[in-house]
Amino acid sequence: MTQCLRRSSTCWSTIVAMMAIVCTVAIAPVVAAPPVPKEVDPVPMVTIPAGEFLMGNSEGKGRADEWPQRSVYLDEFAIDQVEVTNERYLAFVATTGHRSPPNPYGTGPLLSVKGIEQHPVVQATWYDAKAYCSWAKKRLPTEAEWEKSARGTDGRLFPWGNEPAASKRANFDHEWEEEKTLHPVGSLPDGDSPYGVKDLSGNAREWVQDWYDAEYYQHAPDRNPQGPEIKGVVRSIRGGSWHSPVSDITATARGRGGFALQTHGTGFRCVRGLEGQTQQK
């Protein structure tokens, strides 16, 4: 009898201990994994590695505001693979209440036009472009970042190399044809840059961060240049458009425009610094 009681007592002790362990596990706090930031602008981005590249043109080539050619070092960054599209821009408008750009294709709001969702958004001012990139937790590229993305490190003339410009490589040098004028982004892979960035020549010109100064290259720093320190009246534009002559769609050609400039040939894309660079002047 005594042995039976002892055996029963041992069993009950074991059961109580197991229940205590189960309860402890059950009430232990659950540690959640940190949330993964959600991209509001889920477009593919291309990483441009840190290092030097040749920026500008040797004297006698291109235009005077591209002189002199020099070696420039840039930190690593990522750039949108394609220009911001109408679809992406209108999602930004719907989310933030920012004004919609004018409709270059006719009357009525841009949202009402069908078949242009993947065309680059145009008629955006520099401020519109800056606002979009800020919303996407990105920024506009510097001129140097844009040019390195376009030409790589071998000093090529165009994103695709030194071969002549052609319609299979870039959308340029033609007249306005309504919805047929601009091409869907990424539709001319023969014009890709050495990093795989698309449409950096033609289709839509692109706003960049820098103030424009025709003589800036003569005294610009050779490491992460951010554009002139002194505020000017116009910003730089790169890449040429559907209407541009071949001289304006080279990887080195520089354009410019005022803050409020809205044309049916100017759009933009965004970048993101990968080493803490977020400054935008």
Side-chain angles (χ1 to χ4, degrees):
M1 183 68 176
T2 301
Q3 290 179 349
C4 184
L5 288 172
R6 285 176 180 170
R7 198 177 298 117
S8 178
S9 175
T10 300
C11 290
W12 275 110
S13 297
T14 301
I15 292 171
V16 170
M18 290 179 65
M19 290 181 65
I21 292 171
V22 171
C23 290
T24 301
V25 173
I27 64 175
V30 177
V31 180
V36 177
K38 182 180 179 181
E39 289 281 1
V40 297
D41 185 28
V43 63
M45 299 189 76
V46 177
T47 297
I48 310 299
E52 295 183 344
F53 80 107
L54 290 175
M55 185 171 186
N57 254 324
S58 301
E59 189 167 346
K61 295 181 179 180
R63 301 189 181 107
D65 65 354
E66 302 168 32
W67 307 340
Q69 186 177 82
R70 65 202 198 285
S71 179
V72 173
Y73 176 91
L74 295 181
D75 291 334
E76 183 181 48
F77 64 96
I79 188 167
D80 289 353
Q81 188 176 41
V82 296
E83 295 160 322
V84 175
T85 62
N86 288 310
E87 182 177 66
R88 289 163 57 201
Y89 195 88
L90 289 174
F92 157 68
V93 169
T95 301
T96 65
H98 195 89
R99 65 178 181 175
S100 178
N103 175 10
Y105 304 104
T107 58
L110 181 61
L111 186 62
S112 67
V113 185
K114 304 303 178 185
I116 49 86
E117 292 82 4
Q118 297 308 311
H119 293 184
V121 67
V122 291
Q123 296 278 16
T125 68
W126 184 88
Y127 284 119
D128 292 333
K130 181 176 184 293
Y132 180 97
C133 292
S134 295
W135 167 75
K137 296 181 173 56
K138 304 176 189 178
R139 58 175 172 80
L140 286 170
T142 63
E143 278 203 78
E145 288 170 333
W146 189 98
E147 188 165 323
K148 184 176 182 180
S149 300
R151 73 189 313 201
T153 59
D154 59 5
R156 60 184 56 196
L157 181 61
F158 298 102
W160 56 84
N162 295 315
E163 297 82 6
S167 59
K168 69 175 184 178
R169 297 188 176 109
N171 176 21
F172 71 105
D173 199 21
H174 64 81
E175 299 301 319
W176 183 256
E177 298 179 272
E178 300 299 335
E179 290 90 339
K180 297 179 180 179
T181 308
L182 290 154
H183 292 181
V185 298
S187 59
L188 295 176
D190 286 344
D192 289 1
S193 85
Y195 298 109
V197 187
K198 300 176 179 296
D199 305 317
L200 287 163
S201 281
N203 217 25
R205 303 192 303 168
E206 299 180 17
W207 288 112
V208 293
Q209 172 181 300
D210 304 27
W211 296 99
Y212 174 81
D213 177 356
E215 300 179 353
Y216 179 61
Y217 287 14
Q218 298 174 26
H219 51 78
D222 59 8
R223 190 178 183 91
N224 297 317
Q226 300 291 306
E229 292 293 333
I230 299 175
K231 294 183 178 180
V233 294
V234 290
R235 296 279 183 171
S236 294
I237 305 175
R238 303 296 298 257
S241 76
W242 53 268
H243 188 58
S244 298
V246 67
S247 60
D248 284 352
I249 67 167
T250 66
T252 58
R254 304 174 68 198
R256 59 192 182 275
F259 293 104
L261 177 69
Q262 288 179 292
T263 76
H264 47 353
T266 305
F268 65 98
R269 74 180 77 212
C270 309
V271 303
R272 177 176 287 146
L274 299 182
E275 297 184 13
Q277 292 186 339
T278 57
Q279 182 181 4
Q280 190 166 56
K281 297 186 290 183

